[in-house]
Amino acid sequence: MVFDIFSKRAWRQGGAANDVYQYEEIPDRVRRQLVLLFEREIGTPTYDEDDDASEFYAAVCRILREEYGAFHLLDLVGMPEGHRSHSRPGFYELSNFFLREKNIHSCLDVIEICARHFSNLRKNGACATLNTRLREGGVGFQVESGLAIRVDHQLVHSEVIKPTLNLLSATGFEGANDEFLHAHKKYRNGDYKGALLEGAKAFESVLKIILRKHGQDVTERDTASALLNKFFGLNLLPIYLEKQLNDLKSLLQGGAPNVRNKEAAHGQGEEVREVPEYLAAYGLHQTASAILLIVKAYEAAR
């Protein structure tokens, strides 16, 4: 639970409320708040390290050590060996790494893993509190479906991205969901070309899934344009929307798949072609909008 204490209200009234997000760091205050949240919701390890909380923190440390190629997480933040001895080693190592690490991506690794554990424990309130703490601190990331996602465009996120994630989490769309989440992970890590490629894969996977559910013949060689032609042939939307269907078809064929084809999929020649962040964001948002419309049309016709 998050309390609206006096100092927060006074701060807002003084005109200091955040009106933009930043994506480079997590303030120390927010880090401490999250460590306290982890401790409260996941548990405080006992001295003998023989309980669920202790096992969880130790497991997270093992995962991150291997991923980062380090024998100890505190090696990565320059913490002297003499300060590492502790009666609760897993919690001590993870929390001090999280409090000291400068790279926001590494901090988001810790946040994602703990947020997924909240979901496993069915602590939805803890996930909501985590996102509130990030938002209060002006951090431009929120955790959805166990993944940290940039929230540059709050309206797009709440009206397009989140509903798309909810729809793709349904049975039968697991592959597309994984690709869509992977696209956002690449976007978060600055791999904008990879984000477009994964977003387009998710879009095409959704089309293939729906077409196959309707008994249509789909091959791996079908392009996005061919898949769209087959989809529109299903007449899943009302006939009076024929003009809008044609406009939508042009938009989709000239949008996400086209951005992908022009910027990411074709040969680069001698010049290394970079995809800018704003183009990747546009491509992902457009892809999400297309997926949302297509899946909702499919659901409505069932």
Side-chain angles (χ1 to χ4, degrees):
M1 182 177 183
V2 178
F3 293 93
D4 191 21
I5 56 179
F6 173 80
S7 60
K8 288 185 183 178
R9 300 196 304 275
W11 181 71
R12 290 197 303 267
Q13 291 169 1
N18 293 310
D19 59 356
V20 294
Y21 288 99
Q22 56 83 21
Y23 302 88
E24 302 301 323
E25 63 181 19
I26 299 177
D28 290 341
R29 176 178 61 87
V30 176
R31 293 172 189 247
R32 291 190 292 270
Q33 287 175 325
L34 294 184
V35 168
L36 291 170
L37 177 65
F38 300 154
E39 189 174 8
R40 185 180 78 233
E41 298 294 342
I42 296 172
T44 303
T46 58
Y47 287 97
D48 60 10
E49 291 288 305
D50 187 21
D51 59 84
D52 291 343
S54 299
E55 291 177 4
F56 170 76
Y57 295 123
V60 175
C61 288
R62 287 194 297 270
I63 291 169
L64 294 181
R65 286 178 204 149
E66 183 174 349
E67 291 300 320
Y68 298 155
F71 290 119
H72 202 284
L73 294 181
L74 298 185
D75 290 339
L76 302 174
V77 293
M79 194 167 179
E81 291 187 12
H83 292 278
R84 297 181 188 176
S85 178
H86 198 272
S87 57
R88 299 162 182 170
F91 178 72
Y92 182 79
E93 179 181 355
L94 185 64
S95 60
N96 275 279
F97 170 74
F98 181 70
L99 291 170
R100 294 166 178 263
E101 174 59 47
K102 300 300 183 184
N103 188 319
I104 191 173
H105 293 164
S106 297
C107 293
L108 289 168
D109 290 338
V110 176
I111 289 173
E112 279 189 349
I113 294 174
C114 290
R116 289 170 191 164
H117 197 56
F118 288 159
S119 298
N120 293 337
L121 297 174
R122 301 193 177 186
K123 291 179 176 286
N124 294 330
C127 291
T129 298
L130 186 154
N131 282 331
T132 298
R133 295 305 187 195
L134 292 173
R135 187 167 58 251
E136 285 181 343
V139 181
F141 291 90
Q142 297 278 278
V143 178
E144 300 290 347
S145 299
L147 189 72
I149 299 174
R150 287 180 66 117
V151 289
D152 307 61
H153 309 284
Q154 282 294 310
L155 181 61
V156 172
H157 176 73
S158 62
E159 298 298 326
V160 177
I161 301 298
K162 190 171 181 178
T164 301
L165 288 171
N166 289 336
L167 282 177
L168 292 185
S169 65
T171 302
F173 289 94
E174 292 88 352
N177 186 51
D178 183 65
E179 289 167 343
F180 192 67
L181 290 174
H182 198 196
H184 273 279
K185 186 170 185 178
K186 285 184 175 293
Y187 176 74
R188 190 199 80 200
N189 290 330
D191 181 4
Y192 302 132
K193 185 181 294 186
L196 284 179
L197 284 168
E198 290 299 322
K201 285 180 185 177
F203 173 64
E204 292 175 15
S205 291
V206 168
L207 289 171
K208 289 177 180 178
I209 290 166
I210 293 175
L211 288 168
R212 285 171 178 153
K213 287 180 180 291
H214 281 265
Q216 297 292 308
D217 182 31
V218 176
T219 70
E220 294 303 317
R221 291 180 296 178
D222 282 337
T223 63
S225 179
L227 293 171
L228 282 168
N229 283 331
K230 292 179 181 180
F231 173 77
F232 287 123
L234 298 177
N235 296 317
L236 294 182
L237 293 176
I239 191 64
Y240 58 80
L241 294 177
E242 183 176 359
K243 181 181 184 302
Q244 287 87 338
L245 273 173
N246 288 326
D247 291 341
L248 174 63
K249 181 178 178 180
S250 299
L251 172 65
L252 295 179
Q253 288 182 328
N258 200 39
V259 169
R260 187 276 305 261
N261 289 339
K262 289 182 178 297
E263 295 293 340
H266 288 184
Q268 299 185 113
E270 297 181 359
E271 181 181 356
V272 176
R273 192 180 304 149
E274 294 294 333
V275 175
E277 184 275 336
Y278 62 84
L279 182 58
Y282 170 77
L284 282 183
H285 294 153
Q286 191 180 40
T287 300
S289 297
I291 289 174
L292 192 62
L293 179 65
I294 288 170
V295 176
K296 281 192 171 183
Y298 162 72
E299 294 285 349
R302 292 177 64 183

